[in-house]
Amino acid sequence: MDITELTVHELQDKLKNKEITISEITKAYSDRIKEKESDVDAFVTILADEAIVKSRKIEEKINNGELKSSFAGIPIGIKDNMCTKGIKTTCGSKMLENFIAPYDATIVERLNKEGMINLGKLNMDEFAMGSSTENSAIKKTKNPWNLNTVPGGSSGGSAAAVAANLVPWALGSDTGGSIRQPSSFCGVVGLKPTYGLVSRYGLVAYASSLDQIGPITKDVRDCAMLLNVLAGRDEKDTTSIDRPKVDYVEALKNDVKGLKIAVPKEFFGEGINKEVKAKLEEAIAKYKELGAEVEEVSLDIAEHALAAYYIIACAEASSNLGRFDGIRYGHRSEKGETLRDIYFNSRSEGFGPEVKRRIILGTYVLSSGYYDAYYKKAQKVRTLIANKFEEVFKNHDVILTPTSPTTAFEFNSKSSPLEMYLADICTVSVNVAGLPGISIPCGVDGKGMPIGMQLIGNKFQEETILNVAYTYEQATNFRANYKPEFKK
Amino acid sequence: MQVSREQLLHIANLSRLNLKDDEIDNYLENLQEILTFAEKVNNAPTDGVDETIGANDNYNVFRKDEVIPFEDKEALLQNAYSQERGMFKIPKVIQ
């Protein structure tokens, strides 16, 4: 038995039956990282040795009854934009290359409370800006299915690590598709929760009104289990919502009979790869077979959403990234005598090209004379998009679309930033409207690369999309049929 | 809208970023392309639609104004380039 092949719920079963120990799990992952990390380059910081020490402590705590959680001793990987006390949090940037967070993000506290073990911090596009992880200033992460292709982004390290069995599950963050798109490219499950379900305290901010933290896992049951740990109101994040606790695992009914699935025809039109479309159509047929009612609808929002997204996200980023001045933390230039020079030089040296591009774009759309034409208009479009989703959800339970118009592309294959932005065309509208969305694998293309299906729910309807995803997964079992091959 | 070199430099200045000559040409081209795409928001039928303010509907989220001391000063200061007597040190501001 290869421990690293197992899902977390399988690990839990084996722990319960005393077939394996926590130390064995940690050791298996430590060995796996030694063997495969050099192929994938998913980690910014590896904590395998620390994890082994911690696993012994956790075992002690379990033995003397201090720790009772079923997650105690389960390893996890964390995207490198979530603060971990005493451990580097680089955000994939030269700006934060040596930044050691003085506190834990709320979600990291929650993992710690359960006794989970941090295996390391995972690579990402700098400040979560990108769709391929090529914008990382630290390293180039490869897609385990084909090492010549990107893992997607911005949570590329998280998705690649889960796909390559370097971690059993991981945390990602999603501002415009950054959990779902890399999950799609790497053939794993990724969920972006409803805005406000999960605390953002301690997440390095990119676009605060869009950012959400969520799970990236091997299967839907694991996804529901990790969401159980993450979800909930946090005093330290005023945008997190106080609502009754839900058990997302209980929502997995393996039944979609009578459920209404909307398929927006605009998400299957021009620009969507033929093989992607074909697999999605097979999935739709499968849902019909499973007893769901599928109806084609019109939801002509993708382009408006993408345009509004880049205006709003960059505007918020230009403000959020104003804090990096080289004084209290972050890269500090050796050049410059005056405070002003230090600001300019530290920022110009510390930020990479895409981050600068988005700061400039954001500053432009907020500047006097352009605010009304771009930012204000984009905020109206945002309402419009939310309204259009609401309209569809009046008569349907979920919306089904591709996660990405294509499968994973090769490195350096996008000729311009705008072309890269178009990779987010299927995912951004979900963030713009603040809805939950999940990506699950639904097959592979002719080259053996995974194809992702996105299921979008109404606000706080994670239970519905998880159940719909689970039912498909149980009926098709992608993991049993396909595995990443580390093609060179 | 056409972005001029001067406008770009003005924006870069507001953003506290120095741009090298090759960066200027590159960003001018990118910015123009992205803004042309972003202008698609103007085709959206938004008459009578309100702006979104905040991603969810909650407003006036209050909490008690309590001081919660953060004890680990060292952890905070270790990330600073320059410090003195438990404070961040910066160059002289008034010349």
Side-chain angles (χ1 to χ4, degrees), chain A residues 417-455:
Chain A
L418 182 63
E419 210 192 312
M420 186 68 89
Y421 297 174
L422 288 167
D424 299 335
I425 190 95
C426 300
T427 47
V428 286
S429 53
V430 175
N431 303 71
V432 167
L435 304 172
I438 190 170
S439 176
I440 57 167
C442 66
V444 296
D445 69 5
K447 290 177 181 160
M449 296 304 285
I451 292 168
M453 161 166 66
Q454 175 175 240
L455 300 162

Side-chain angles (χ1 to χ4, degrees), chain A residues 1 29 39 47 91 116 151 162 186 205 307 316 319 322 341 345 348 353 379 392 394 416 455 470:
Chain A
M1 171 185 63
Y29 275 101
D39 279 345
L47 299 168
C91 232
M116 279 192 231
V162 173
C186 293
E316 293 184 23
S319 166
D341 288 348
N345 294 336
S348 304
Q379 291 288 44
V392 176
K394 271 184 193 157
S416 74
L455 300 162
Y470 180 74

Side-chain angles (χ1 to χ4, degrees), chain A residues 100 348 357 370 374 377 383, chain B residues 7 30 39 46 50 52 79:
Chain A
I100 296 175
S348 304
R357 191 176 292 121
Y370 302 101
Y374 292 103
K377 184 77 186 180
T383 309
Chain B
Q7 269 177 315
N30 299 159
E39 274 159 28
T46 55
D50 291 333
T52 293
N79 290 303

Side-chain angles (χ1 to χ4, degrees), chain A residues 180 262 264 267 297-302 305 381-401 425-437 454-459:
Chain A
R180 291 158 287 156
F267 282 72
V297 298
S298 174
L299 189 60
D300 195 4
I301 53 167
V381 170
R382 193 169 183 178
T383 309
L384 191 75
I385 286 160
N387 292 346
K388 287 202 171 174
F389 271 115
E390 220 175 279
E391 214 37 58
V392 176
F393 284 122
K394 271 184 193 157
N395 299 310
H396 301 87
D397 301 293
V398 295
I399 299 172
L400 185 155
T401 74
I425 190 95
C426 300
T427 47
V428 286
S429 53
V430 175
N431 303 71
V432 167
L435 304 172
Q454 175 175 240
L455 300 162
I456 305 165
N458 206 349
K459 280 192 178 181

Side-chain angles (χ1 to χ4, degrees), chain A residues 244-475:
Chain A
K245 189 93 185 146
V246 170
D247 184 346
Y248 294 103
V249 178
E250 279 192 7
L252 309 177
K253 307 282 187 214
N254 198 10
D255 182 7
V256 291
K257 276 182 213 82
L259 204 116
K260 293 197 175 82
I261 300 177
V263 177
K265 57 175 189 276
E266 292 82 359
F267 282 72
F268 291 80
E270 204 190 329
I272 304 295
N273 173 289
K274 277 194 187 122
E275 289 181 273
V276 171
K277 193 176 165 186
K279 283 292 166 202
L280 264 293
E281 278 164 359
E282 280 177 33
I284 291 167
K286 180 54 92 179
Y287 273 121
K288 284 182 187 162
E289 197 187 306
L290 292 166
E293 292 172 27
V294 181
E295 194 191 1
E296 190 177 272
V297 298
S298 174
L299 189 60
D300 195 4
I301 53 167
E303 274 206 336
H304 288 151
L306 192 66
Y309 169 80
Y310 276 96
I311 292 169
I312 294 162
C314 292
E316 293 184 23
S318 74
S319 166
N320 274 327
L321 273 59
R323 73 190 65 180
F324 296 100
D325 55 7
I327 304 297
R328 292 150 301 149
Y329 48 78
H331 175 78
R332 166 70 164 265
S333 175
E334 298 290 341
K335 287 181 266 171
E337 296 299 318
T338 66
L339 198 57
R340 188 186 155 87
D341 288 348
I342 287 169
Y343 291 161
F344 271 87
N345 294 336
S346 299
R347 290 169 64 79
S348 304
E349 292 168 15
F351 291 136
E354 182 60 27
V355 175
K356 287 183 198 170
R357 191 176 292 121
R358 294 199 196 188
I359 291 174
I360 288 170
L361 183 66
T363 309
Y364 182 87
V365 298
L366 288 176
S367 66
S368 162
Y370 302 101
Y371 176 88
D372 283 1
Y374 292 103
Y375 185 75
K376 201 170 169 185
K377 184 77 186 180
Q379 291 288 44
K380 284 187 179 176
V381 170
R382 193 169 183 178
T383 309
L384 191 75
I385 286 160
N387 292 346
K388 287 202 171 174
F389 271 115
E390 220 175 279
E391 214 37 58
V392 176
F393 284 122
K394 271 184 193 157
N395 299 310
H396 301 87
D397 301 293
V398 295
I399 299 172
L400 185 155
T401 74
T403 307
S404 164
T406 66
T407 54
F409 43 86
E410 288 180 7
F411 290 97
N412 306 314
S413 63
K414 300 284 180 197
S415 61
S416 74
L418 182 63
E419 210 192 312
M420 186 68 89
Y421 297 174
L422 288 167
D424 299 335
I425 190 95
C426 300
T427 47
V428 286
S429 53
V430 175
N431 303 71
V432 167
L435 304 172
I438 190 170
S439 176
I440 57 167
C442 66
V444 296
D445 69 5
K447 290 177 181 160
M449 296 304 285
I451 292 168
M453 161 166 66
Q454 175 175 240
L455 300 162
I456 305 165
N458 206 349
K459 280 192 178 181
F460 299 109
Q461 294 303 310
E462 275 79 1
E463 290 163 277
T464 310
I465 56 171
L466 280 163
N467 176 46
V468 174
Y470 180 74
T471 308
Y472 175 82
E473 182 191 73
Q474 294 304 303

Side-chain angles (χ1 to χ4, degrees), chain A residues 66-280:
Chain A
E66 265 179 77
L67 245 179
K68 291 198 166 63
S69 166
S70 62
F71 298 113
I74 300 294
I76 190 163
I78 299 173
K79 187 178 182 180
D80 210 16
N81 60 349
M82 300 173 205
C83 287
T84 42
K85 189 179 163 91
I87 296 161
K88 271 201 257 179
T89 298
T90 70
C91 232
S93 180
K94 194 183 167 193
M95 180 58 86
L96 290 173
E97 205 172 17
N98 298 308
F99 174 70
I100 296 175
Y103 63 92
D104 279 323
T106 296
I107 45 93
V108 173
E109 274 180 6
R110 289 188 181 200
L111 305 182
N112 289 341
K113 208 175 136 206
E114 300 291 332
M116 279 192 231
I117 299 175
N118 183 2
L119 269 178
K121 302 295 291 288
L122 297 160
N123 198 24
M124 53 184 283
D125 283 299
E126 183 176 2
F127 284 98
M129 297 175 184
S131 311
S132 67
T133 313
E134 290 171 288
N135 293 333
S136 169
I138 313 290
K139 54 162 62 167
K140 181 166 125 180
T141 298
K142 280 78 109 183
N143 190 317
W145 294 76
N146 179 340
L147 302 175
N148 299 308
T149 64
V150 303
S154 67
S155 310
S158 300
V162 173
N165 296 336
L166 302 174
V167 295
W169 57 10
L171 294 184
S173 69
D174 190 316
T175 307
S178 283
I179 287 175
R180 291 158 287 156
Q181 185 256 21
S183 295
S184 165
F185 279 16
C186 293
V188 294
V189 174
L191 181 132
K192 182 210 93 80
T194 307
Y195 186 84
L197 185 69
V198 177
S199 166
R200 292 179 297 109
Y201 180 77
L203 171 72
V204 180
Y206 159 23
S208 308
S209 78
L210 302 162
D211 299 339
Q212 269 291 286
I213 292 169
I216 296 180
T217 58
K218 289 185 206 275
D219 73 359
V220 177
R221 178 174 290 272
D222 277 6
C223 187
M225 280 171 16
L226 190 47
L227 190 62
N228 276 348
V229 178
L230 300 177
R233 159 94 181 143
D234 175 17
E235 274 282 295
K236 291 174 181 158
D237 175 2
T238 54
T239 63
S240 70
I241 304 282
D242 198 7
R243 56 195 312 280
K245 189 93 185 146
V246 170
D247 184 346
Y248 294 103
V249 178
E250 279 192 7
L252 309 177
K253 307 282 187 214
N254 198 10
D255 182 7
V256 291
K257 276 182 213 82
L259 204 116
K260 293 197 175 82
I261 300 177
V263 177
K265 57 175 189 276
E266 292 82 359
F267 282 72
F268 291 80
E270 204 190 329
I272 304 295
N273 173 289
K274 277 194 187 122
E275 289 181 273
V276 171
K277 193 176 165 186
K279 283 292 166 202
L280 264 293

